[in-house]
């Protein structure tokens, strides 16, 4: 077998250490630039039930909408542009479309419409784009980016007519879409509802699941030791352990066990009870920010926890990860980040991506 | 005493994990067949042995979880063994003289990523 087959596609993990009270801390920027969040996972060691204040924040998360069979050109219609797109108040992502085999579409609050298209669709469509950054020998995928807030794209202009013609006449791109507003009050005048009422759609609530884990071994983390030089485990060991806890994997195997030799990394300490809470849906960054803010206050009340963890998973089939950076799917489409918050308002921020992603910001 | 807060620090790791994680499930012709975690691992080792001989059978991997009802599992394997394990899973075609197949649902160098796969979203 070729020795190259022993190598794996590249993955990246960035780790940052800072303090929430630091004026230059960019934690909110990082959260707000990761637009399409699929799942949030909270781990609160030394906690019996999910704190009421945290639960309230989660219950106030924005609803999202599943719209069936929505043609992409509808985003360009005058009323959509005026009432929704140009206000920059909502996110849309095509649903049940796989970025490694289908055409995928996303609309960012900045008004950028991003289409990740296979070669045939791209050639039929006739809109100018660029080859995917993650093409192999032959380019099989193209990315088209249209700024819907651009002045040249107002109804009546030549450019507008051309884009509309491409998306309506040449290739009628349509898909199920997930939509959400940037924050709960963004659709006060009901404009989005009015527009959606022409289509089959349903309003969905993020799904909350919470459980208490008993007698768990938790890695001991010291806020000053990000790299894991002795006071903490290494970043990779910590993320592996978090994965194990989320997937209900046993962490107390022996080194000679036939099935698994996985163990909780050192240094570690027994924790009698911990709360693991997950929320799934299309979760806008503003809601993640509010949850993070609440977690920071968690330490204001007396408790034994030295740290709490917040993990956010992005959609694997999203054409962007952070900001407008291209995202793809090779073996997996992982794009996730994790905050570890400490008592003294220090935090660690891990950002992980797979092979078809740029280095996280 | 309030501990001194940390100064800013940033590290970037390329290929941070020495492992890859695979979420797989086994499809059997007879859905009623019961199989234990040990038998499941042994079936995979047999597949490795058939394809790569004794050296292949010695490739270390862990069965981190096994769901006896769904016949699904999460495997952990060193990066260097991923291609061999994956190919052996693909070519495993029988269990107890009955046709079977392994389906690979998700592969990632981050175990945490396996807990948040948006392709499993039910809407």
């Amino acid at each position: 077998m070729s020795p190259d087959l022993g190598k794996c596609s590249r993955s990246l993990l960035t780790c940052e250490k800072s303090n929430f009270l630091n004026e230059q801390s960019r934690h909110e920027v990082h959260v707000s630039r990761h637009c399409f969040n699929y799942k949030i996972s909270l781990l609160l060691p030394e906690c019996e039930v999910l704190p009421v204040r945290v639960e309230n924040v989660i219950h106030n998360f924005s609803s999202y909408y599943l719209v069936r069979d929505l043609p992409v050109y509808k985003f360009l219609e005058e009323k959509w542009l005026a009432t929704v797109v140009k206000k920059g108040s909502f996110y849309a992502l095509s649903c049940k479309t796989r970025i490694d085999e289908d055409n995928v579409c996303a609309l960012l609050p900045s008004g950028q419409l991003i289409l990740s298209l296979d070669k045939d669709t791209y050639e039929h469509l006739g809109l100018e784009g660029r080859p995917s950054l993650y093409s192999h020998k032959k380019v099989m995928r193209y990315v088209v980016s249209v700024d819907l807030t651009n002045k040249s794209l107002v109804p009546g202009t030549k450019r507008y007519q051309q884009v509309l013609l491409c998306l309506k006449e040449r290739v009628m791109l349509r898909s199920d879409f997930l939509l959400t507003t940037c924050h709960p009050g963004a659709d006060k005048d009901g404009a989005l509802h009015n527009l959606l009422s022409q289509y089959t759609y349903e309003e969905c609530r993020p799904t909350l699941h919470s459980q208490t884990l008993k007698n768990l071994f938790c890695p001991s983390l010291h806020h000053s030791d990000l790299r894991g030089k002795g006071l903490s485990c290494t970043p990779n060991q910590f993320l592996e352990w978090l994965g194990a806890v989320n997937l209900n994997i046993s962490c107390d195997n022996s080194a000679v066990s036939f099935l698994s030799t996985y163990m909780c990394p050192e240094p570690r300490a027994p924790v009698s009870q911990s709360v693991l809470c997950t929320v799934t849906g299309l979760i806008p960054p503003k809601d993640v920010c509010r949850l993070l803010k609440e977690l920071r206050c968690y330490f204001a009340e007396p408790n034994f926890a030295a740290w709490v963890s917040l993990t956010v998973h992005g959609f694997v089939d999203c054409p962007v990860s952070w900001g407008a950076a291209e995202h793809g799917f090779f073996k997996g489409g992982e794009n996730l980040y994790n905050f570890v918050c400490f008592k003294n308002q220090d935090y660690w921020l891990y950002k992980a991506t797979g092979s078809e992603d740029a280095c996280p910001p | 005493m309030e501990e001194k807060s940390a100064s800013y620090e940033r590290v970037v790791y390329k290929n941070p994990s020495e492992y890859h994680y695979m979420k797989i499930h086994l499809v059997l012709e007879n859905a009623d067949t019961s199989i234990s975690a040990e038998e499941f691992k042994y079936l995979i080792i047999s597949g490795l042995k058939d394809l790569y001989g004794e050296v292949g059978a010695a490739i270390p991997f862990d069965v981190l979880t096994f769901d006896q009802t769904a016949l699904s599992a999460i495997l952990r394997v060193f990066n260097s063994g991923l291609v061999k394990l994956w190919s052996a899973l693909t070519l495993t075609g029988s269990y107890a003289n009955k046709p079977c197949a392994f389906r690979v649902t998700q592969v990632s160098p981050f175990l945490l990523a396996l807990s948040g796969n948006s392709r499993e979203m039910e809407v």
Side-chain angles (χ1 to χ4, degrees):
Chain A
M1 207 172 89
S2 161
D4 282 350
L5 288 177
K7 292 179 188 166
C8 287
S9 51
R10 78 105 166 97
S11 55
L12 293 169
L13 174 66
T14 68
C15 314
E16 259 179 66
K17 180 179 78 175
S18 188
N19 189 289
F20 287 119
L21 304 175
N22 187 337
E23 279 177 17
Q24 290 175 326
S25 171
R26 287 169 50 82
H27 57 277
E28 285 203 358
V29 178
H30 289 303
V31 173
S32 60
R33 292 191 69 197
H34 196 262
C35 295
F36 297 98
N37 307 304
Y38 159 64
K39 184 174 181 178
I40 290 179
S41 166
L42 263 179
L43 181 68
L44 309 175
E46 303 287 9
C47 178
E48 194 179 355
V49 286
L50 191 64
V52 178
R53 289 173 59 163
V54 174
E55 199 175 345
N56 284 343
V57 171
I58 295 172
H59 280 307
N60 286 326
F61 272 11
S62 310
S63 297
Y64 60 98
Y65 305 91
L66 170 66
V67 191
R68 306 269 180 201
D69 211 22
L70 178 71
V72 174
Y73 79 86
K74 286 283 173 187
F75 291 128
L76 268 90
E77 283 193 345
E78 212 169 336
K79 49 189 176 182
W80 275 81
L81 277 178
T83 53
V84 185
V85 178
K86 291 201 170 164
K87 282 185 185 168
S89 57
F90 88 117
Y91 301 85
L93 177 66
S94 57
C95 166
K96 298 208 166 147
T97 46
R98 299 187 164 199
I99 201 161
D100 50 344
E101 46 193 59
D102 305 321
N103 298 314
V104 174
C105 173
L107 183 63
L108 309 182
S110 60
Q112 262 186 307
L113 178 71
I114 295 174
L115 308 169
S116 177
L117 307 168
D118 59 47
K119 186 169 168 280
D120 289 353
T121 312
Y122 175 72
E123 285 171 357
H124 281 113
L125 189 68
L127 274 176
E128 196 184 340
R130 58 165 178 80
S132 164
L133 295 173
Y134 309 107
S135 302
H136 299 284
K137 282 178 187 165
K138 236 179 163 183
V139 181
M140 298 305 286
R141 182 156 288 275
Y142 288 82
V143 178
V144 175
S145 179
V146 183
D147 184 0
L148 301 185
T149 57
N150 196 301
K151 281 178 187 163
S152 66
L153 211 76
V154 286
T157 61
K158 211 173 167 184
R159 167 82 177 143
Y160 179 84
Q161 292 302 337
Q162 186 218 349
V163 177
L164 199 63
L165 174 85
C166 294
L167 290 169
K168 199 173 174 180
E169 313 272 324
R170 289 207 188 131
V171 183
M172 168 85 97
L173 281 174
R174 55 197 314 152
S175 162
D176 290 354
F177 272 88
L178 292 173
L179 280 106
T180 190
T181 49
C182 285
H183 43 89
D187 190 36
K188 265 183 191 160
D189 51 1
L192 185 59
H193 271 100
N194 283 340
L195 293 169
L196 294 181
S197 59
Q198 302 162 26
Y199 306 94
T200 314
Y201 81 100
E202 53 189 284
E203 188 173 343
C204 314
R205 292 290 307 153
T207 320
L208 168 70
H209 182 258
S210 177
Q211 57 176 312
T212 307
L213 309 171
K214 302 268 182 194
N215 303 322
L216 195 70
F217 267 104
C218 279
S220 309
L221 304 178
H222 193 272
H223 62 90
S224 66
D225 190 12
L226 172 73
R227 298 177 194 223
K229 288 178 178 169
L231 296 171
S232 311
C233 57
T234 65
N236 196 52
Q237 283 174 330
F238 177 67
L239 291 184
E240 185 185 42
W241 175 82
L242 259 187
V245 171
N246 274 281
L247 291 160
N248 197 20
I249 289 170
S250 160
C251 298
D252 53 357
N253 301 294
S254 83
V256 291
S257 164
F258 173 67
L259 280 178
S260 168
T261 55
Y262 178 68
M263 289 171 84
C264 174
E266 299 275 1
R268 61 187 179 183
V271 172
S272 56
Q273 50 200 4
S274 313
V275 166
L276 177 67
C277 161
T278 58
V279 188
T280 43
L282 174 60
I283 302 157
K286 275 270 187 288
D287 285 344
V288 183
C289 279
R290 282 171 44 231
L291 183 59
L292 186 62
K293 218 171 188 176
E294 191 53 53
L295 281 181
R296 288 172 52 192
C297 304
Y298 175 68
F299 290 110
E301 289 160 22
N303 60 54
F304 292 111
W307 53 266
V308 296
S309 149
L310 167 74
T311 310
V312 181
H313 298 265
F315 278 80
V316 296
D317 291 306
C318 181
V320 292
S321 51
W322 275 272
E326 188 185 338
H327 169 75
F329 190 106
F330 183 45
K331 280 183 193 136
E334 53 278 283
N335 62 110
L336 59 95
Y337 63 90
N338 171 269
F339 276 97
V340 183
C341 311
F342 293 92
K343 249 182 187 163
N344 66 346
Q345 296 290 311
D346 270 3
Y347 70 86
W348 295 350
L349 170 58
Y350 298 117
K351 285 173 275 181
T353 55
S355 53
E356 300 205 343
D357 248 304
C359 183
Chain B
M1 193 180 77
E2 186 68 22
E3 289 188 71
K4 199 183 160 199
S5 68
S7 54
Y8 179 78
E9 186 181 344
R10 177 180 156 102
V11 200
V12 180
Y13 295 97
K14 190 177 175 186
N15 301 330
S17 174
E18 56 179 333
Y19 298 106
H20 258 73
Y21 306 87
M22 305 180 83
K23 196 184 268 183
I24 61 169
H25 74 271
L26 178 65
V27 184
L28 292 172
E29 201 176 47
N30 182 0
D32 296 333
T33 311
S34 168
I35 176 167
S36 69
E38 287 76 12
E39 287 168 325
F40 185 84
K41 183 163 183 181
Y42 184 72
L43 175 64
I44 300 172
I45 295 173
S46 308
L48 279 163
K49 193 174 177 183
D50 290 345
L51 194 58
Y52 296 107
E54 291 294 343
V55 175
I59 289 175
F61 70 94
D62 294 304
V63 179
L64 296 177
T65 55
F66 177 67
D67 179 341
Q68 211 161 356
T69 328
L71 297 183
S72 62
I74 293 174
L75 310 182
R76 178 175 81 157
V77 62
F78 283 105
N79 294 336
S80 56
L82 176 70
V83 173
K84 282 185 180 169
L85 177 63
W86 200 334
S87 49
L89 289 171
T90 307
L91 295 172
T92 299
S94 69
Y95 171 69
N97 296 322
K98 295 274 168 60
C100 76
F102 280 107
R103 304 275 181 240
V104 178
T105 316
Q106 200 186 353
V107 178
S108 177
F110 303 103
L111 181 58
L112 190 54
L114 265 57
S115 68
N117 183 3
S118 60
R119 287 189 173 180
E120 291 169 357
M121 189 179 189
E122 285 166 14
V123 281

